[in-house]
Amino acid sequence: MLNNIIPAFVVGGLICILGQLLMDLTKANVTPAHVLVTFVTGGVVLGALGLYEPLVKFGGAGATVPLSGFGYALAKGAIEGAESNGLIGAFSGGIEATAVGIASALFFGYLVAVVFNPKG
Amino acid sequence: MNNKKAGNQTVVFQSPPVILSKYNIVGPKEGQGPLKDSFDVILKDTYDGEKSWEKTEAKMLETAMRGAVSKANVPLDAVDYILAGDLLNQIISSNFAARQIGLPFIGLYGACSTMALSTALGAMLVDGGYASKVLCSASSHHDTAERQYRLPTEQGNQRAMYAQWTVTGAGSIMLSDTGVGPKVTSATIGRVIDFGETDANNMGAAMAPAVADTILNHFRDLNRPPDYYDLVATGDLGMIGLQLAIEILKRSNLNITNDFTDCGVMIYSPSQDTHAGGSGCGCSAAVLTGNILDRMLSGNLKRVLLVGSGCLHSPASSLQGESMPAIGHAVSIEVSKAV
Amino acid sequence: MPNDNIRPPTINLTKEDYNNIKQVISPKPKVIKNLIFAFLVGGFICSLGQMIINFYMIYLDLPKMKAQTAGTATLIFIGALLTGLGVYDEIVKIGGAGGIVPVTGFANSMVSPALEFKREGNVFGVGGKLFTIAGPILLYGIFSSIVVGIIYLISS
């Protein structure tokens, strides 16, 4: 089981390098938000084209932890939903697949925001 | 009516108002910097016991104003006007500070040039005979500015090397038609100048042309030689903006030979990792009321030109892709030869 | 000059001249250093995620899919907590994209505005601001997934 950690490290690190290049080499008004939106949408597209699957097979968490992995999950979910439920499944599939991620972000995000104070 | 105007943009005061007193208050980061001995109050943290940073900033500005009044040894109601401004929407720090003090209030927005702007206008009021005593103040707070102009303070981000750090500080001076002290001898009101900088993190580059333009007009309007001032200090151009301004002035044939520096460069040391230096209304306010006036009072500096620099954009205009117009306002402060 | 005003700027400079000067004087980001740290920090967070997933599979006997979703939720919790503690922005300062791109960075981008604006109340402050950045991410992500689903239906 432990031999999947190094591929995770390498693949994850490389995907982040891509993000860093985007941040450093583009015009100054590319913020973290823009980078995140690009990665999610990129993950959806690559996932839909089947190009993200090999990354996931080899890199495991190295491909699923970055936000492109979230996009990949969305695409996979939408396709599976469309397969089993037609048009309705195309709509619901993505959200269903990523429901736990969205719900936990909301849940923990709210709790932490209420308990802590910004330090500046 | 005597016309006190000189050249295109400058006024020369016939009875130069005296800077009767000064007071400042800064945050912990500024209090660890190279100018720490020139601050009247250094806060232990950025909240100072308040529930929000906005409340803290208003309290700081009020403290600076009351401090200047008490140092001048005059009763509060001897002051005719408060002139103040800050960076926040609707200049709430100044509004709430003025509410607490209760004197007639003129709110100003010059972005980071507000200290120079309020001093220039205050001097016009006093020299024009419209007031006998005026408080000129400005403030900024790193965290209130960050959440309004840029990103939430806890959000991960890599700041550019040319980005500046908004100063947490407030400063106030009392201008008077009587008394002893350094005098405000002239003021040059700047024009809004825009050379097309669109990067909201590169304020130094946005402001340098406007500041250089004001400096050039000041020297030409008054026909002063480039070595007239012991110190020319810009407000918050930062390291990059200062280099740019020096270069622009060189190309316009003005080489300032004596000390030419920037309050944003003076207020932090490189080890504090602010990247290009300090910014914000509080920057020039704290450095003027601290280091610069201290050196004038001790005889170290006789003639100073303070050139406030302001970047006149808004978060909305930047998001809409607009470039950043900027402005520079200059006030000359001199110790008279008799002193 | 973009201005048509009364008196052009007094300084002897065109916009082009100024762009050239800016190019020379403005400091550039230390790209190589940033890339190295992005790799290290991003790689570390992803391998941490893998270790967590492994833990859930080995010690809690969760099947692979469930372990992955639990792992994602755990990382989100960690990102949110570190943001609340004021630590996550320091991580991103060093690691850049290595801190922004993993799902912990997503958690940070949700929590930090909510934290910042809590002074403005629970509805408009915390509630409204939780989605300042998460909103666009969810919008574009979900929207494009729906498009993908529809295209899949049409093409099959």
Side-chain angles (χ1 to χ4, degrees), chain B:
Chain B
M1 193 78 193
N2 268 333
N3 195 350
K4 308 185 194 187
K5 189 118 179 279
N8 284 316
Q9 295 172 221
T10 307
V11 295
V12 178
F13 300 117
Q14 308 233 302
S15 323
V18 173
I19 300 181
L20 206 54
S21 67
K22 62 187 186 61
Y23 201 83
N24 58 31
I25 167 172
V26 298
K29 196 180 180 82
E30 295 70 25
Q32 290 158 4
L35 302 183
K36 57 178 180 263
D37 296 327
S38 69
F39 301 128
D40 294 296
V41 178
I42 300 176
L43 295 177
K44 289 197 186 51
D45 62 62
T46 51
Y47 278 106
D48 194 30
E50 295 295 325
K51 283 215 161 87
S52 75
W53 289 312
E54 284 74 14
K55 291 184 167 53
T56 312
E57 191 182 336
K59 193 165 100 175
M60 286 172 75
L61 190 49
E62 186 195 341
T63 305
M65 293 183 194
R66 290 192 191 275
V69 173
S70 111
K71 282 257 168 100
N73 243 322
V74 300
L76 191 57
D77 56 15
V79 179
D80 296 297
Y81 300 100
I82 316 177
L83 271 62
D86 56 81
L87 291 177
L88 301 185
N89 288 332
Q90 290 79 53
I91 51 168
I92 46 168
S93 309
S94 310
N95 299 342
F96 281 81
R99 176 189 70 178
Q100 298 304 106
I101 297 198
L103 290 165
F105 166 60
I106 299 177
L108 299 168
Y109 187 77
C112 311
S113 69
T114 303
M115 191 65 198
L117 176 63
S118 65
T119 305
L121 281 172
M124 289 185 198
L125 286 173
V126 174
D127 182 66
Y130 298 106
S132 161
K133 291 187 176 31
V134 173
L135 272 178
C136 308
S137 334
S139 79
S140 61
H141 189 299
H142 175 257
D143 302 298
T144 57
E146 279 303 300
R147 65 188 291 236
Q148 181 179 289
Y149 282 97
R150 284 173 282 273
L151 299 171
T153 55
E154 293 305 332
Q155 183 163 337
N157 186 35
Q158 274 187 327
R159 295 168 58 239
M161 291 314 290
Y162 47 70
Q164 290 163 264
W165 186 274
T166 309
V167 163
T168 301
S172 185
I173 57 175
M174 167 100 78
L175 292 181
S176 167
D177 56 0
T178 56
V180 175
K183 296 184 176 165
V184 181
T185 51
S186 71
T188 304
I189 299 291
R191 299 176 294 153
V192 177
I193 303 232
D194 186 343
F195 265 64
E197 180 60 59
T198 50
D199 182 357
N201 288 308
N202 200 354
M203 294 190 298
M207 297 187 289
V211 170
D213 194 77
T214 299
I215 295 179
L216 195 60
N217 276 293
H218 176 87
F219 276 90
R220 286 188 184 174
D221 287 346
L222 296 179
N223 213 353
R224 285 190 174 163
D227 60 356
Y228 183 86
Y229 294 103
D230 303 318
L231 168 68
V232 174
T234 53
D236 65 343
L237 287 178
M239 282 182 250
I240 310 304
L242 179 64
Q243 288 178 54
L244 288 168
I246 294 177
E247 181 61 34
I248 296 173
L249 286 173
K250 267 208 197 114
R251 290 180 185 218
S252 312
N253 290 322
L254 180 59
N255 285 311
I256 304 216
T257 39
N258 295 334
D259 200 1
F260 185 3
T261 182
D262 175 78
C263 298
V265 171
M266 292 163 73
I267 196 166
Y268 294 123
S269 69
S271 63
Q272 292 183 285
D273 193 29
T274 56
H275 294 197
S279 67
C281 315
C283 187
S284 46
V287 176
L288 172 70
T289 54
N291 180 274
I292 295 181
L293 284 175
D294 280 347
R295 285 155 72 190
M296 295 192 86
L297 290 169
S298 68
N300 214 293
L301 291 170
K302 302 233 176 353
R303 296 167 173 170
V304 173
L305 186 69
L306 175 73
V307 192
S309 51
C311 201
L312 300 175
H313 69 301
S314 83
S317 71
S318 282
L319 276 174
Q320 290 181 9
E322 292 272 10
S323 56
M324 301 194 292
I327 198 166
H329 297 296
V331 283
S332 63
I333 305 174
E334 302 179 59
V335 175
S336 46
K337 296 177 178 46
V339 172

Side-chain angles (χ1 to χ4, degrees), chain C residues 31-116:
Chain C
V31 182
I32 304 292
K33 178 175 166 218
N34 288 346
L35 292 180
I36 294 178
F37 279 105
F39 180 80
L40 291 173
V41 173
F44 174 76
I45 295 180
C46 291
S47 45
L48 181 69
Q50 188 67 66
M51 286 191 258
I52 293 175
I53 294 176
N54 292 349
F55 174 84
Y56 287 144
M57 282 175 71
I58 299 177
Y59 292 99
L60 296 184
D61 254 336
L62 287 176
K64 188 163 178 199
M65 278 279 98
K66 286 221 163 75
Q68 276 178 345
T69 34
T72 304
T74 312
L75 279 181
I76 288 177
F77 170 71
I78 293 176
L81 184 65
L82 291 178
T83 303
L85 292 172
V87 169
Y88 205 83
D89 56 347
E90 303 295 325
I91 296 176
V92 175
K93 190 171 168 192
I94 301 172
I100 293 175
V101 167
V103 73
T104 45
F106 172 67
N108 169 259
S109 70
M110 277 191 85
V111 174
S112 49
L115 205 53
E116 192 78 46

